[in-house]
Amino acid sequence: VPRVQKRLADQKKRTSKKAEVFTPTWVCEKMTDVAENDLKGEDWKEYINKTCLEVTCGEAPFLTSRYDTTTGQMIAVPDRIGLLDRKLNVLAEQFHDYDMWMCWAINAYASTYGYEWQGDSLLLARANMLLTWRENFKWLFGIEPDAGKVRNMAAIISWNVWQMDGLKKTVPGTDIPCKIKDWKADKEILFKDVGEDG
């Protein structure tokens, strides 16, 4: 369950044992306002394709704000403030055509990354991202996406939001380096090599 729905004693235990904290939605909004300035480019296409990463993402509130992190109340699709939400809002303004929107939504997701140590939080982050896509799709087109499109988007999300020890850049509790997908180059890469030349 999302952190806001956990018992207060469980929240405190996770904070003290695992350094898990939450960021209120209003703080996420102020921070994503600043981050969005770094993503903005020459045009909307550059903005959609610009890579962003939420480190120690928890339930991924900086990427998608499906619900208020302090109250648990759902947030309407056009009012969401995460970086991915903002990319999808741009696409809603650009396209009313199903195929073109879908093509650019794939680009938006392929350029959006996050990692998390806790497995249950990782599951919620992935679910929030997939449900965000589904809710945007339904909001725009009034229908449910077909199973093939759901599988395709789930595959992108599973590559782009992964479990990792952020200090060691490995699978938690191991020395196994984490791999991610570079969608532009269409290849798997080690996360520790991201940003290195050659």
Side-chain angles (χ1 to χ4, degrees):
V1 298
R3 180 180 169 88
V4 70
Q5 293 178 359
K6 290 182 173 109
R7 294 178 322 139
L8 190 56
D10 292 338
Q11 290 179 25
K12 287 181 179 183
K13 182 178 176 184
R14 287 178 69 107
T15 297
S16 66
K17 299 272 185 204
K18 300 178 181 189
E20 180 182 272
V21 296
F22 76 98
T23 309
T25 302
W26 69 270
V27 173
C28 289
E29 183 172 18
K30 288 188 178 296
M31 293 174 74
T32 52
D33 286 345
V34 172
E36 185 177 41
N37 289 331
D38 291 338
L39 292 177
K40 293 248 173 157
E42 298 285 323
D43 62 18
W44 67 267
K45 293 176 184 177
E46 185 178 333
Y47 176 64
I48 298 302
N49 288 314
K50 191 82 173 217
T51 301
C52 60
L53 167 69
E54 184 179 354
V55 299
T56 61
C57 68
E59 298 169 16
F62 288 96
L63 299 179
T64 179
S65 61
R66 292 186 62 244
Y67 47 82
D68 186 289
T69 56
T70 55
T71 66
Q73 292 294 314
M74 292 300 294
I75 298 173
V77 168
D79 299 329
R80 296 177 183 176
I81 53 85
L83 290 171
L84 182 59
D85 296 320
R86 293 169 190 227
K87 287 182 177 188
L88 293 174
N89 285 341
V90 168
L91 296 181
E93 293 170 5
Q94 294 295 322
F95 300 109
H96 301 291
D97 173 79
Y98 165 92
D99 292 322
M100 289 301 293
W101 182 89
M102 189 62 207
C103 175
W104 282 97
I106 289 170
N107 287 357
Y109 272 78
S111 63
T112 304
Y113 295 84
Y115 68 81
E116 171 57 35
W117 175 289
Q118 303 298 329
D120 60 341
S121 294
L122 173 68
L123 177 63
L124 288 168
R126 287 176 169 175
N128 283 332
M129 290 183 70
L130 185 62
L131 290 169
T132 289
W133 168 75
R134 177 189 162 265
E135 290 158 354
N136 273 267
F137 188 95
K138 191 170 181 181
W139 178 67
L140 285 168
F141 304 110
I143 58 172
E144 291 287 344
D146 66 60
K149 287 183 175 39
V150 173
R151 280 191 299 275
N152 184 44
M153 194 57 72
I156 293 169
I157 292 166
S158 67
W159 270 107
N160 284 26
V161 183
W162 70 99
Q163 191 171 22
M164 184 173 80
D165 176 335
L167 297 175
K168 295 176 19 179
K169 299 180 181 169
T170 61
V171 175
T174 75
D175 290 324
I176 301 168
C178 287
K179 288 184 182 179
I180 62 170
K181 182 97 177 215
D182 179 341
W183 297 98
K184 291 174 187 151
D186 194 27
K187 66 178 184 178
E188 296 175 23
I189 58 173
L190 296 177
F191 181 73
K192 70 181 183 68
D193 295 336
V194 170
E196 292 184 5
D197 294 326

